Amino acid sequence: MSILVDGNTRVICQGITGAAGAFHTKGCLDYGTRMVGGTTPGKGGQKDANGLPIFETVTQAVEATGATASMIFVPPPYAGDAICEAADAGIRTICAITEGIPVQDMVRVRAHIEANPGVTLIGPNCPGVITPGRKVAEGKWEGGCKIGIMPGYIHMHKADAPTRKAVGIVSRSGTLTYEAVWQCSQRGIGQSSCVGIGGDPIKGVDFIDVIEMFNADPETDAVIMIGEIGGSAETEAGRWIRDNMNKPVVAFIAGRTAPKGRRMGHAGAIVGGADDTAQAKIDALRACGVQVAESPADLGDMACKALKLA
Amino acid sequence: MKIHEYQARQLLLDAGVPVPRGEMVESVAAAQSAARALFASGSRQVVVKAQVHAGGRGKAGFVKLVRTVDEAVDAATFMLGNRMVSVQTGPEGIEVHKLLIADAVEIAHEYYVAVLVDRGSRTNMLIASAEGGMDIEHVAATRPEAIIRMPLDPVRGIAPYQAREVAIRLGFRGKAVAQASDLISRLCTLHRSLDASMVEINPLVLTPPTSSDPDGKVMAIDAKFAFDENALWRHAEVEQLADPQEADPAESRAHEFGLSYIRLDGNIGCLVNGAGLAMGTMDIIKLHGGDPANFLDVGGSASEQAVTEAFRIILSDERVEGVLVNIFGGIMQCDRIARAIVGAARTVGFRVPLVVRLEGTNVAEARTILEAAKSDIPVMQTASDLSDAARKIVAAVGAGAAA
C-alpha cells in the first residue's frame, strides 16, 4: 500500500517534448514508472525519444493509454489550462510541476478542481509524488511510481528497509523533502509515499489532506511534515493531528532566521489575525504534540526516535 | 514589485475610483506650480508627500500638510534630495526624488478597504472596516468583529449585491451607498485584472456633506498595490511602473538571471536550490553559530551562466567571509553546479573559504568534476551532509576572523 499512486498507475506527461518534460519523463521511466505517453499540441502522432506516443490532447491520450495520472511541465502561461484539461479528460491524479503560474489563474483552477470530486491536484510548483519501488539491481527499481522531478535513487521501499519501517513525507519544499528522504534512507527507514504539495499560495492538496491519507495507509508508520513561513496550513494541520492522528508526526518549519519581510500594507496581517512566522508555527505544532526539529539535519534521527528505533 | 503612491493613484483613477486632485513632481519649481494650481482651484489645505518605497513617512516628517504655496515650497525644498529615515528604511535611509502634491480633502470619516488573495479560503477576499486610518492592525487584533471579511467567487468575482452589503455594513447611507459600493466593485475588478496580490485603500474617506453632495463624497486617499510577479509577463503596463532608483542593484541583477536573492546582515554567503532548503540552510548556519549574508535560491532550471552570476553576486558583497553551496538536485543537475563552481573560480575567483555539499541528480558526475578541480580551488572543502556543511563553513569563517 501507499497513497495516491503505485506501480500500476499509468502516467502521461503534459509537455513531454519540452526540455524539462523530456528529461524528467526519462527519469520517471528509468525509475520504473509506467509512463504511457504524453501530449504536445502540434506533435500528435509522433513518438518521443523513449518511443512513447505523443498526443494532441489529454483526452486522446487517456482514450489510447488508459492513463489516470499526469505530470505537467507546461510553461506557466498555459499550465493552469493544462490542469483543467487533465481534470476534464478524466485524469484522477494531476501533478503540476510548473513553477510560476499566476495566482489568479490558480484561483480559477482550484475552483475547477473542487467542482470535479475525485480529482486530486498536487502542486503546482512542487516536486511531485513518489511511491518508492523495490530495488532489484543497482540503479533499477520495480513496482514504484515516481511522478515528478525528485531524484529516485535516494528513496527506499519499506521491504528494502533494514528497519522494516516506513515514513510518509509531506512537504511544501522540494529540496527539503529530498533532504528528509535521504536522512531516512541512510538510517534504514523506508518511505511509503512522499508528496510535495508545493509552495504556492493557492494549490491542490494541503497538509491535512495528505496527512489524513497517511493516517489511513497501513504501510505508513510515521509522518514527516515540512513546512515554512507564511499562511496557516501547518498550524491547522497541527490541530488535525492532535484530534485525529494515531501515528507519530515529526516536523520541520523552515525560515526561523528569515528576515521579516518589508511588508506592504496591513491586509496580510489582519486577514487571518494569525502569526505566520516559523516560530509561531513551531510553538503551535509543539502544543499539538508534534515533535518539531530544530535543524533540518535532525529529521532522520527524530524519525528514528518517533519509530522507537533509537 | 512595489509601486509609488502617485502611480497607485493613477491606477485607481484609470479604473474610475475617485481620488483627490494632485500631481507628482520632481523639482521645487514644479511643486510650487502644482500647489499654486490646487490653492487656485479651491483647496484649503494641500499635502506634500515623499514618494519612496517605505512606510513610516508621516512620523519621519516626509508628509506635510501646508496652507500656502510658500509652505509647500519649504516642504518640497526640505524633502527633495534629502534622505528619509523611518522605522522601515534602516539607518541609511532612502533618497527622495519625487513628491506627490495633492488636495488635502476634509474628512468626515475614515474607512479601510482591501482585496487580497487569501490562502485560507483559497480565493480572493474583500476586507473592510469602518475603523480605517492608522491603527487598523490594532483594531483587527483587539476587535475582530470590526473587520468585515468577504470571500469572492473565484470565477465571477464580486457581485453588485455583495459590494452594496459591505457598503451598508460600513455605515454608508443615502447617495454615499452607491458611491461606496461602486468603488468597492471597481477595486475588486482592478485587483483581478491587474493580477495584484493585494490592493489596499487606507484610508478610504467620506467627506463632509455639502450642498452639491448632501451625503458626502467617497474617495481613496492612499493606496498600496502588491503585484504577482508570476503574472507580470501579461502586464507590461505594470512592469513599466517599477522605479529603478528604488531597487537594490544586486537584487535587480539576480532577478535578471532568474535568481531569487535577498541581502541579509551576516558574513556567510549561501547558494542553494529551492526556497525551503535555502531557508533551512540559513537556519542551520545560525544554529551552528554563524550568520547568513544572503538568501539565494538558484531555482531548478538555472543555466551554468546564471549560477556563475550567482557566485559573482555573492562574492561582490564585501562582508562575505565564506560561501556555503548546498544543492540537493531534483530539476537542478549537480554537474551543472560543479561546472559553475569551476567556471566561477576561473572568472570570479574565490577569495574566501568555500564549502560545497551536493546530493541528488547527476551527483556522481559532479563529484568527479570537483575532484579534478580541487588543486585549482584550494579554498574549497566538500561536505558529506547538511550538518557537516554548516559546521565546516562556520569553522572556516571563524578561523579566518581569528587570524
Side-chain angles (χ1 to χ4, degrees), chain A residues 47-267:
Chain A
K47 303 259 190 220
D48 85 336
N50 310 294
L52 295 173
I54 302 171
F55 300 92
E56 296 287 355
T57 68
V58 179
T59 302
Q60 287 174 6
V62 168
E63 276 171 9
T65 65
T68 59
S70 173
M71 168 166 82
I72 296 179
F73 281 100
V74 172
Y78 320 108
D81 184 54
I83 295 170
C84 294
E85 182 187 2
D88 290 346
I91 294 286
R92 314 298 285 173
T93 305
I94 304 168
C95 286
I97 312 298
T98 306
E99 176 180 355
I101 303 179
V103 68
Q104 289 301 330
D105 291 5
M106 281 311 302
V107 166
R108 291 179 185 78
V109 169
R110 169 85 203 187
H112 191 81
I113 295 294
E114 281 174 16
N116 282 274
V119 173
T120 302
L121 171 65
I122 299 164
N125 186 15
C126 79
V129 55
I130 182 170
T131 291
R134 293 291 304 267
K135 189 169 185 175
V136 290
E138 198 48 48
K140 198 163 163 51
W141 296 266
E142 269 178 20
C145 182
K146 163 174 130 75
I147 305 179
I149 60 177
M150 63 291 278
Y153 77 91
I154 61 174
H155 298 83
M156 184 180 273
H157 190 278
K158 186 173 184 173
D160 293 337
T163 63
R164 291 286 180 271
K165 296 282 185 193
V167 292
I169 300 181
V170 55
S171 168
R172 263 169 81 176
S173 149
T175 42
L176 267 176
T177 315
Y178 313 158
E179 192 65 56
V181 168
W182 185 236
Q183 289 174 31
C184 288
S185 295
Q186 286 187 319
R187 286 160 180 78
I189 301 171
Q191 301 89 40
S192 53
S193 299
C194 306
V195 185
I197 58 175
D200 282 10
I202 308 288
K203 55 176 171 275
V205 290
D206 215 324
F207 283 111
I208 293 180
D209 307 304
V210 180
I211 290 171
E212 194 169 359
M213 292 181 222
F214 280 135
N215 201 29
D217 172 36
E219 291 298 302
T220 302
D221 301 300
V223 172
I224 295 179
M225 71 175 272
I226 299 169
E228 56 191 47
I229 49 171
S232 58
E234 292 87 349
T235 308
E236 286 155 25
R239 284 195 287 271
W240 190 92
I241 290 163
R242 179 193 63 201
D243 298 339
N244 303 284
M245 193 75 181
N246 51 36
K247 297 173 184 180
V249 180
V250 171
F252 175 70
I253 305 293
R256 194 134 64 148
T257 55
K260 284 239 192 305
R262 285 162 286 177
R263 199 160 49 83
M264 286 281 288
H266 306 276

Side-chain angles (χ1 to χ4, degrees), chain A residues 100 102-105 108 110 149 151 153 175-176 178-179 255-257 259 263 265-267 270-271 294-295 297, chain B residues 112 122 124 137 149 191-192 200 228 230 234 264 273 276-277 283-284 287 328-331 357 359-360 387:
Chain A
V103 68
Q104 289 301 330
D105 291 5
R108 291 179 185 78
R110 169 85 203 187
I149 60 177
Y153 77 91
T175 42
L176 267 176
Y178 313 158
E179 192 65 56
R256 194 134 64 148
T257 55
R263 199 160 49 83
H266 306 276
I270 70 176
V271 62
E294 292 287 327
S295 156
Chain B
Y112 174 92
R122 300 185 182 90
N124 298 307
E137 285 191 39
R149 296 174 177 81
H191 170 259
R192 199 151 91 162
E200 179 181 78
D228 178 4
N230 289 339
R234 59 186 175 202
L264 304 171
N273 66 324
L277 190 60
D283 292 347
I284 199 169
L287 266 177
F328 213 126
I331 290 190
R357 185 279 177 125
E359 204 63 65
S387 284

